[in-house]
Amino acid sequence: MNESGLAQQLLNLIGGKQNINQVWHCATRLRFTLKDRAKVPKDKIEALDGVITVVEASGQFQVVIGNNVGDVYHEVVKLEPSLSEGETSGETAAQGKMTFKSAFNSLLTFISGVFTPFLGAMAGAGILKGLLSLAVVMGWLTAKSGAYQIWWAAADGIFYFLPIALAFTAAKQLKVNQFVSMAIAAAMVSPGIVALGAKATTIDFFGIPVVPANYTATVLPILLVVVVQKFLEPVFNKLWHESVRNILAPVCLLVVIVPLTLIVVGPISATVSSWLATAIVSLNKSVPILAGLVLGGFWQVIVIFGVHWALVPVMMNNIAQNGTDLMMPILLPAVLSQAGAALAVFLRTRDAKMKSLAGSSTITALFGITEPTIYGITLKLKKPFYLACVAGAVGGMIVAIFGAGANAAALASVLSLPTFIGKGFGLSVVGDVVAFALGTVLTYFFGGINAGAKTKIAPSANSELGEALAAPVKGVLVPLTGLADEVFASETMGKGVAIVPENGMVKAPVAGVIRLLYPTGHAIGIQSDKGSEILIHIGIDTVNLKGKHFQPLVAQGQHVEIGTPLVQFDHEAIEKEGYESTVMMIVTNSDQYQIATLGQGATDDRPVMTLA
């Protein structure tokens, strides 16, 4: 399937822009924040040609595409221009109560949204820095040669002016004036301020002593500055009439925030950055084996859950503060061990499709893109993933012991090796080789490759027996295709029925196990004892109520019988809130059955659908 066709199918299955708050992409994944996750058939998206897998983490619905994710994203935006990177589509769902989990997920979403747009350029510049260092060490170039100076400017520019790039993307995430943010960042790295910072020269600001710091290549200060702008910008926008607002509000922001940055925000963030960098260096020096074990062994697990973005600013801060980062070299064994495991699958498997995928994934993993390897091969087969983590831990410990550091930010890959040139470089390469070789050997002999490659998910044998589905609620049966919600009406999620309820009690239409129970109570998923997979969705767009007027009566994992009360809801109150209370019952694995709907009109507990 081409990128355009894949983008169209993804939008159809996700529910179009009406169900999307945000969409952006990283190196391999399309990342969505959704209004109503219950409307999205995860299994059907995973089955699309061109989709490796789907991951739900950090409050995001992540569709793993692979190396051509950028092309698919651009096709998505071409189909729905309002979904430009980082923008929201329509009104977002109402905010629920702030919890630690939701706050952490928001932080990760913010960080990934800030770094993703220019990650490729930054990684390329980092690799170029490493190659220039290698060229000087090998005697191919001198630091005074014209070629070196030109290429060094190309490699160092994005890092030197990093606060400006971060200002633009952070402002876009926080929805403040991006160009004012860039102007503030430009002031922080202006030649005059940089020169004062280098000499630690104290200057006077209306009697307040100011010691400018060097903000080039820093991360934390500008992020904090944009957060401050988020609070002050609305104040100045309200202060001025709209006829002069576009000029005078930015003037006020520059007049207030730049001094505030140099006097307060910058020194605080610089101190925090210094403490953080010192703590990490101390940990690596005092307990290097532990650092290598954790980062080398669990880095890919961290990537799977999407929380690796929290460490990106930390690594960049280390380079800004100390000139090197000790974490990045430890991550390379974690990457190479997955490449080694993929190579073992390529050599051992008898499945032609798996062999082809393993061969290409080995190459992409060597160059730092591990998602196709993880989701398409090692995690799919399970044992290879675990064995690669063991190999990564061993290699990570070797690298950590010898204290190699990265002098530039780049993706952990074989191309990033030149950025590690310096103390411990030679022996760190030994750790990289060990991780790759051990990942290959362990997986080849103990990975259970051919058994895993033959594994197929087949329809339940019991599904052939057929079954009848009772009405989940008393009311009037109406065609699913007549609903105002396009996702359900188009039967994208599967065939089913809709019932306009006469009461507020949803009961189990079959005997089975509760597999999904949304905290809001508006949707519940059941896997019947005979194999059918049923989604009951109460109302249209009722996810926005955040659980108001819904009371779940069962627990996830509980076995229920036909007629067991599942959810109690107030359909009249829901309608007064402006939402339809129609109850939909969808068979999400409809493709395994021949489905018949039994009439229309009033219904009670009688069968309304049969599966054969």
Side-chain angles (χ1 to χ4, degrees):
M1 184 186 304
N2 60 30
E3 288 81 2
S4 178
L6 178 57
Q8 184 65 70
Q9 291 206 37
L10 279 173
L11 283 174
N12 290 342
L13 290 170
I14 283 175
K17 66 178 181 180
Q18 295 83 3
N19 197 35
I20 299 172
N21 283 332
Q22 281 184 299
V23 58
W24 69 101
H25 72 91
C26 58
T28 58
R29 313 181 192 192
L30 278 175
R31 296 170 178 263
F32 295 89
T33 57
L34 303 173
K35 294 180 180 178
D36 191 349
R37 165 62 184 87
K39 291 183 178 180
V40 182
K42 178 180 176 181
D43 55 340
K44 292 186 178 181
I45 292 177
E46 287 183 318
L48 291 176
D49 183 19
V51 172
I52 297 172
T53 192
V54 172
V55 180
E56 295 184 76
S58 305
Q60 302 167 9
F61 189 83
Q62 305 172 9
V63 182
V64 183
I65 303 293
N67 294 336
N68 65 331
V69 65
D71 296 331
V72 177
Y73 169 77
H74 288 304
E75 290 298 329
V76 168
V77 172
K78 188 183 296 183
L79 292 168
E80 294 290 354
S82 63
L83 297 176
S84 59
E85 194 146 5
E87 298 291 340
T88 57
S89 173
E91 295 183 2
T92 59
Q95 297 297 312
K97 183 179 179 181
M98 178 64 72
T99 63
F100 174 79
K101 180 179 179 182
S102 64
F104 184 65
N105 287 341
S106 297
L107 175 63
L108 292 180
T109 299
F110 171 67
I111 294 174
S112 64
V114 166
F115 283 95
T116 295
F118 61 91
L119 192 60
M122 189 170 63
I127 290 170
L128 180 55
K129 263 193 172 184
L131 293 174
L132 289 172
S133 299
L134 177 63
V136 171
V137 171
M138 298 300 293
W140 301 332
L141 290 173
T142 66
K144 294 183 179 181
S145 67
Y148 177 89
Q149 293 182 58
I150 291 173
W151 278 332
W152 183 258
D156 190 53
I158 193 169
F159 295 106
Y160 188 93
F161 296 106
L162 183 61
I164 298 178
L166 289 171
F168 184 82
T169 54
K172 190 171 186 179
Q173 288 294 308
L174 295 182
K175 301 197 170 37
V176 295
N177 191 311
Q178 294 166 274
F179 298 99
V180 171
S181 301
M182 293 173 66
I184 296 169
M188 294 167 63
V189 296
S190 64
I193 295 297
V194 171
L196 291 172
K199 297 176 182 178
T201 303
T202 301
I203 57 177
D204 178 87
F205 183 78
F206 295 108
I208 302 174
V210 181
V211 183
N214 186 356
Y215 297 107
T216 61
T218 59
V219 174
L220 186 58
I222 188 59
L223 296 183
L224 292 178
V225 167
V226 177
V227 171
V228 171
Q229 181 186 346
K230 175 71 173 178
F231 288 97
L232 291 181
E233 188 171 290
V235 174
F236 291 125
N237 283 338
K238 290 180 181 178
L239 181 62
W240 299 104
H241 187 268
E242 61 181 12
S243 61
V244 293
R245 182 181 301 152
N246 290 339
I247 298 174
L248 295 185
V251 170
C252 293
L253 288 169
L254 291 172
V255 167
V256 173
I257 294 181
V258 172
L260 185 65
T261 299
L262 300 180
I263 297 170
V264 180
V265 179
I268 290 175
S269 60
T271 301
V272 172
S273 297
S274 179
W275 288 347
L276 184 60
T278 301
I280 292 172
V281 170
S282 298
L283 175 64
N284 277 274
K285 287 184 176 180
S286 58
V287 198
I289 291 180
L290 177 62
L293 174 66
V294 173
L295 287 176
F298 293 97
W299 177 248
Q300 297 300 340
V301 177
I302 293 172
V303 170
I304 288 173
F305 286 99
V307 296
H308 60 298
W309 286 106
L311 295 177
V312 172
V314 175
M315 290 185 281
M316 296 185 68
N317 177 68
N318 291 341
I319 294 173
Q321 293 291 322
N322 301 319
T324 59
D325 170 57
L326 299 176
M327 297 171 66
M328 182 65 70
I330 300 174
L331 304 182
L332 184 53
V335 171
L336 295 180
S337 63
Q338 295 290 334
L343 176 61
V345 173
F346 172 76
L347 296 174
R348 189 78 187 264
T349 185
R350 294 190 295 270
D351 185 283
K353 184 177 180 179
M354 179 65 73
K355 184 180 286 289
S356 174
L357 181 60
S360 61
S361 295
T362 300
I363 297 172
T364 58
L366 287 172
F367 288 98
I369 306 298
T370 55
E371 277 91 340
T373 302
I374 294 172
Y375 297 119
I377 299 177
T378 60
L379 193 59
K380 183 177 182 180
L381 301 179
K382 294 183 174 62
K383 284 185 179 180
F385 180 78
Y386 304 143
L387 294 171
C389 288
V390 171
V394 173
M397 287 189 289
I398 295 173
V399 172
I401 288 171
F402 295 107
N407 55 39
L411 290 175
S413 72
V414 292
L415 293 177
S416 64
L417 277 170
T419 68
F420 306 159
I421 292 176
K423 176 188 173 183
F425 171 69
L427 293 174
S428 75
V429 174
V430 174
D432 298 331
V433 173
V434 167
F436 180 79
L438 194 58
T440 304
V441 172
L442 288 177
T443 304
Y444 187 89
F445 289 105
F446 306 108
I449 294 170
N450 287 311
K454 292 179 181 178
T455 301
K456 296 286 184 181
I457 299 176
S460 169
N462 290 332
S463 65
E464 296 180 3
L465 300 177
E467 61 184 319
L469 307 186
V473 68
K474 184 178 180 181
V476 178
L477 194 67
V478 296
L480 192 68
T481 53
L483 295 180
D485 190 294
E486 185 179 346
V487 174
F488 294 117
S490 64
E491 299 187 336
T492 298
M493 295 187 67
K495 295 184 180 300
V497 295
I499 300 173
V500 178
E502 294 180 0
N503 61 32
M505 182 63 70
V506 171
K507 299 180 180 180
V510 291
V513 177
I514 305 299
R515 293 301 185 193
L516 293 172
L517 180 60
Y518 289 85
T520 55
H522 79 288
I524 189 167
I526 307 173
Q527 182 176 33
S528 80
D529 292 341
K530 293 187 176 182
S532 61
E533 297 172 1
I534 300 158
L535 173 69
I536 300 174
H537 195 287
I538 306 169
I540 295 176
D541 292 333
T542 47
V543 64
N544 295 334
L545 294 172
K546 295 294 182 181
K548 187 179 179 182
H549 309 311
F550 294 91
Q551 180 60 52
L553 304 175
V554 291
Q556 190 162 317
Q558 179 178 335
H559 188 276
V560 296
E561 301 297 333
I562 296 177
T564 299
L566 303 178
V567 179
Q568 187 172 0
F569 67 103
D570 189 335
H571 67 99
E572 293 179 348
I574 290 172
E575 290 169 359
K576 287 181 180 178
E577 295 268 8
Y579 297 93
E580 287 191 38
S581 62
T582 305
V583 176
M584 285 74 71
M585 180 170 66
I586 311 297
V587 181
T588 57
N589 58 342
S590 297
D591 55 344
Q592 298 179 18
Y593 300 95
Q594 291 182 344
I595 299 178
T597 301
L598 305 179
Q600 296 180 18
T603 182
D604 41 34
D605 295 329
R606 66 180 174 83
V608 292
M609 295 177 67
T610 59
L611 313 181

